[in-house]
Amino acid sequence: MTFHKTTESESKYNHLEKMPVSELLENINKEDKTVAYSVEKSLPQIENLTLKVVEVLKAGGRLFYIGAGTSGRLGIVDASECPPTFGVAHDLVIALIAGGDGAIRTAVEFAEDSEEQGVKDLQKEGITKNDIVIGIAASGTTPYVIGALKYCNGNNIPTGCITCNAGSPLATTAILPIVVTVGPEFVTGSSRMKAGTAQKLVLNMISTAAMIQLGRVKGNKMVDMQLSNNKLVDRGVRMIMTELNISEDEAQTLLAKHKTVRNVITHNS
């Protein structure tokens, strides 16, 4: 069967430059509304990959995201939010992007076109069969990502992917693929839009569910969050007040003493 990139299909809308802003926004929103339903269809695949991630992390392994461009940046966003949100080590969830850290802000020409570079970047991080690697590429054709997953498959390292094109090389390379078919973009081929939104939703689901399974949430609260600014300190105080049914002053005193919400609750329940 011939592989067809639905993310590159012609937009259902034309003459965009003639649309007033109100119509542009309405139509973009109309397309965005379909994304969550597309993700819903992929829930069994998302569950399978998430279960494997949990298994690997519980056994002491690491989760790697690897991508290029928008997909790579989305992986970086998700990985960078895990330590402050869930209090995990910075090297538990690691995101790699084609072109290195400089590509986070500025596109690096042709960085994604080398299968070998994806392998080298993983090797620099000391990747082992105890880890798991998730390739992220809306197109499903990015050589940097595919090369990395091929290397992992050949070395008994678990692999998954998040892509938006069924039957793509990436989807057929990953052992545990997630394919969210969002269809044509509002601006033809602009996969930072619906495809990017879908990838962000899936990443949220994988990392959040995994961290909950690792015991990093109590009830529905981020009890291990890093108290790195006043907003988060205030949130921590409110959690403690609710959990222990004490005053704000008492909660502030306990948090200053024990440093984390979890420690306060553990020592005072």
Side-chain angles (χ1 to χ4, degrees):
M1 185 176 70
T2 303
F3 167 56
H4 171 65
K5 293 184 187 179
T6 56
T7 54
E8 296 289 335
S9 298
E10 189 77 12
S11 172
K12 294 184 289 185
Y13 307 83
N14 205 348
H15 306 299
L16 304 187
E17 71 279 8
K18 297 180 181 179
M19 290 183 185
V21 170
S22 61
E23 189 176 354
L24 288 169
L25 299 180
E26 180 181 343
N27 288 329
I28 291 172
N29 181 242
K30 185 185 298 183
E31 290 300 306
D32 286 344
K33 288 176 183 176
T34 69
V35 177
Y37 292 107
S38 299
V39 171
E40 182 180 20
K41 294 175 183 177
S42 302
L43 282 175
Q45 292 181 324
I46 298 169
E47 180 182 5
N48 288 339
L49 181 51
T50 303
L51 286 169
K52 188 62 179 180
V53 168
V54 171
E55 177 188 322
V56 167
L57 296 182
K58 283 187 173 180
R62 298 170 295 172
L63 167 60
F64 283 84
Y65 297 137
I66 188 163
T70 297
S71 297
R73 295 182 189 105
L74 288 168
I76 288 168
V77 168
D78 196 76
S80 66
E81 289 175 346
C82 287
T85 305
F86 301 108
V88 296
H90 286 272
D91 62 354
L92 183 68
V93 184
I94 299 169
L96 303 175
I97 184 170
D101 287 352
I104 296 172
R105 291 181 177 273
T106 306
V108 177
E109 292 185 3
F110 305 109
E112 68 177 53
D113 295 329
S114 168
E115 286 198 7
E116 294 76 18
Q117 191 58 51
V119 175
K120 290 176 182 177
D121 288 350
L122 284 174
Q123 289 174 333
K124 285 179 186 176
E125 297 294 334
I127 188 81
T128 76
K129 63 181 180 180
N130 298 319
D131 302 318
I132 184 168
V133 178
I134 299 177
I136 313 171
S139 67
T141 59
T142 307
Y144 175 80
V145 179
I146 294 170
L149 264 61
K150 285 180 178 177
Y151 168 80
C152 291
N153 288 343
N155 287 274
N156 298 315
I157 300 167
T159 59
C161 77
I162 306 170
T163 183
C164 296
N165 282 302
S168 67
L170 181 60
T172 55
T173 298
I175 302 301
L176 294 167
I178 295 172
V179 181
V180 183
T181 307
V182 296
E185 297 286 3
F186 179 70
V187 176
T188 299
S190 183
S191 55
R192 71 183 183 87
M193 301 185 78
K194 288 195 298 182
T197 300
Q199 290 173 317
K200 173 60 174 163
L201 291 175
V202 173
L203 286 165
N204 284 349
M205 296 167 82
I206 293 172
S207 59
T208 302
M211 293 301 155
I212 292 170
Q213 289 289 301
L214 290 174
R216 291 290 173 167
V217 171
K218 179 177 172 58
N220 57 18
K221 302 296 193 301
M222 300 180 289
V223 293
D224 289 318
M225 67 181 180
Q226 295 177 356
L227 305 176
S228 55
N229 59 49
N230 289 333
K231 178 192 74 174
L232 296 179
V233 171
D234 290 342
R235 182 184 297 164
V237 168
R238 292 196 304 274
M239 286 184 195
I240 293 166
M241 290 170 63
T242 301
E243 184 71 21
L244 301 181
N245 193 27
I246 59 178
S247 70
E248 182 175 357
D249 286 344
E250 290 173 307
Q252 288 174 338
T253 299
L254 288 173
L255 189 56
K257 176 182 178 181
H258 294 290
K259 308 304 181 185
T260 72
V261 174
R262 180 182 294 279
N263 286 344
V264 171
I265 294 171
T266 298
H267 287 88
N268 294 274
S269 294

